[in-house]
Amino acid sequence: MKKEIIVFVCLSLFLISCVSTDSSSNTEKWRSGTQGIVMSFVQNNPPSEVVSRSDVTVLLEYSNKGAAITNPRFYLTGFDSTILPFRNTVVSVGNLAGKDNYNSIGSQPGFVKWETGINMNSLREVDSFKQYLSVTACYGYQTIAAPIICVDSQKYDYAAPARCDFSIKDLGSSQGAPVAVTEVKQKATTDEMFIEIHVDNKGSGTPYLTGDCLKLGYDQIDQLSIAEVTMSGKRFQCAPSNIRLVNGKGYAICSLKINNANTYYETPLTIRLSYNYRDTMPRKEITIINVDKK
Amino acid sequence: MRTRYFLILVALVFLAACSTGSKDSDLEKEIYKGTTGVVVSFFGNNIGDEVFEGEQLNLPIKFENKGAYDVTNSKLVVAAEKGFMNFPGGSNIYQKSGIKLNGKNVFVTFDDFHIEELNLQVNKLSPLSEYHDSLVIVNFCYDYKNMAFTEVCIDTDPHNQRVSDKTCSQIDSIGLSGGQGGPVVINRIETRMLVFDNAIRPQFKIYISNTGKGTVISPNKIDSVCSQDSVGQQTYNSLKLTALDMSGYTLQNFECLPSELVLYRDEDFITCTLKSGISRDKQPYITPLKVELSYGYMDSAAKEIKINKILRV
């Protein structure tokens, strides 16, 4: 009987430990992934072949798979507006929440519909011709990383015993946004702390800060802003405040005055990056078959 | 047992009907292909190869429209050797206008044809001749056209000054191999997007050549060419660009040089530039381009007829 009780207690402990591990990982996991707004054409909308008498319907399915709230705009482009006179080619869909503590998937899918007839103009003799449709999404986004760092002003004091681990914890490789904080390095003097923040554009689009989304110049793209870096309620000074990405990667160095106290502690560091993001779907080819041929 | 066979038979008939139906429903989508227009030929292999003096010869000639366009304005001139053969009325020249031949469309893809039967009276040979080889020459003049359809990219950022996910980029040269269903063909179109302020002006260089064996003549000049009148040099090898449509713009919106093209090399070209600009605020897009040429064409055929003397012993 005693043996059975021991086995039962052991099993119970094992199960409890499993459950607690799972729940902790869930709370952290939601701020991961490299997606922001994802979109695709609904199957056969637009169709790959359409006859000249019928309408062309474009149905876009989108959702926010990242961890920030955003207000995306969708631009329908690539076609000749004299042939396919779509109305309202720019659609703003309002605020779209992403993943959070209670939702690790992202927003529900939403849909944008464009519809138009085909204006054949002087193309009455043509057998068939092609048009292309593409959608570009532009949206403001944020990357929030919250790694744990060790603050120790006497890190380089050889006389002092090693007190906490200086490796950055819980950063992960992505934070639920197309631009990810990939690495944080820290250095500390007796009265100032420096951190080096490395970022990487892991999405398929282009980050930018200002400008017309569809007409960006080379001086406007691959930029993002360090909105804030804080630790224990104190704000770091970062240089540069706007990071310029080269080959999709960039970094900034942030500093913060600390007290030269004989103390050490681990604390969360909050890094918030802010940027606009532009992503374009591969174009869809549609063949318009002229059934009213002269 | 009989019922079973009957059911199998019905099923087979049904299946056969289904397969035939799907074949018929395939629409011919590429009509404007090929490099042939109207083909003139003497009907039958050996009809009229050899005749006797004094005989009446029935000579059928076939006109087959192998091209894609309708023939609505045409003129036929047949010339027999003077003194050896006559047409009814006594002339050695036969003329006829208004032979019409349909082109092709989505539903009609066969070559329309017309057969003209010529009655020739063979004259008597001179007493000193045993036989004589005489030529019958057929000239068929008709107004024809050429239509080429292609897709061009209206690249509003041809120098890639902006960073955008462009739907298309300017294509320098668009090949149009295989012809457009007529003897005069557009071989290729070179495109250029000329940048002026905040607008682009598309420019098209259209390369044209005569791939047929016949002669290109000015449009609406077939009456003067297929006749005994004298014809100016400018009437030959001359054609006109009659339509250039793109994205709501028509020929009037383009400045084209030369206005009438004279073909004197293997390949000649017309350059057309849009007079007004397309705003660079627009995103690049692909649009169909229609080019239409109008010209006259003369195709010829000749037949040698051996006129034998009736030898009287």
Side-chain angles (χ1 to χ4, degrees), chain A residues 49 77-83 121-123 125-127 129-132 134 214-218 221 278 280 283 289 293, chain B residues 29-32 106 147 149 151 160-165 167-168 245 247-248 280-288 290 292:
Chain A
E49 264 194 5
T77 61
F79 57 94
D80 184 346
S81 57
T82 62
I83 296 167
N121 297 326
S122 58
L123 296 163
E125 302 96 340
V126 72
D127 305 321
F129 61 92
K130 291 185 175 67
Q131 282 289 279
Y132 297 89
S134 180
L214 296 182
K215 288 186 283 180
L216 295 171
Y218 285 96
I221 60 156
R278 183 187 72 187
T280 303
R283 67 182 193 181
I289 298 167
K293 215 176 146 194
Chain B
K29 288 177 194 167
E30 286 206 3
I31 291 161
Y32 302 111
V106 179
M147 278 197 285
F149 297 96
E151 278 142 24
N160 293 318
Q161 289 166 305
R162 299 195 296 244
V163 188
S164 59
D165 305 308
T167 311
C168 62
D245 295 345
S247 196
R280 294 189 69 204
D281 291 338
K282 278 190 169 183
Q283 286 300 296
Y285 61 92
I286 287 177
T287 188
K290 173 190 159 186
E292 186 185 286

Side-chain angles (χ1 to χ4, degrees), chain B residues 30-62:
Chain B
E30 286 206 3
I31 291 161
Y32 302 111
K33 277 274 169 199
T35 58
T36 321
V38 176
V39 174
V40 181
S41 60
F42 288 93
F43 200 76
N45 287 334
N46 302 313
I47 297 175
D49 281 358
E50 231 172 294
V51 290
F52 285 98
E53 58 177 356
E55 260 190 327
Q56 226 180 26
L57 174 65
N58 200 0
L59 198 63
I61 304 169
K62 188 178 183 183

Side-chain angles (χ1 to χ4, degrees), chain B residues 237-296:
Chain B
N237 293 321
S238 181
L239 54 88
K240 262 187 177 172
L241 181 72
T242 45
L244 184 65
D245 295 345
M246 176 211 79
S247 196
Y249 296 100
T250 59
L251 187 61
Q252 285 73 40
N253 303 116
F254 285 89
E255 185 184 15
C256 291
L257 290 168
S259 57
E260 191 157 350
L261 179 70
V262 178
L263 299 168
Y264 62 94
R265 286 179 288 221
D266 291 342
E267 193 179 57
D268 294 276
F269 60 83
I270 297 175
T271 307
C272 294
T273 312
L274 190 67
K275 287 175 193 166
S276 59
I278 297 173
S279 170
R280 294 189 69 204
D281 291 338
K282 278 190 169 183
Q283 286 300 296
Y285 61 92
I286 287 177
T287 188
L289 174 75
K290 173 190 159 186
V291 184
E292 186 185 286
L293 304 173
S294 287
Y295 58 93

Side-chain angles (χ1 to χ4, degrees), chain A residues 61 130 258 277:
Chain A
E61 182 179 345
K130 291 185 175 67
I258 52 172
Y277 205 74

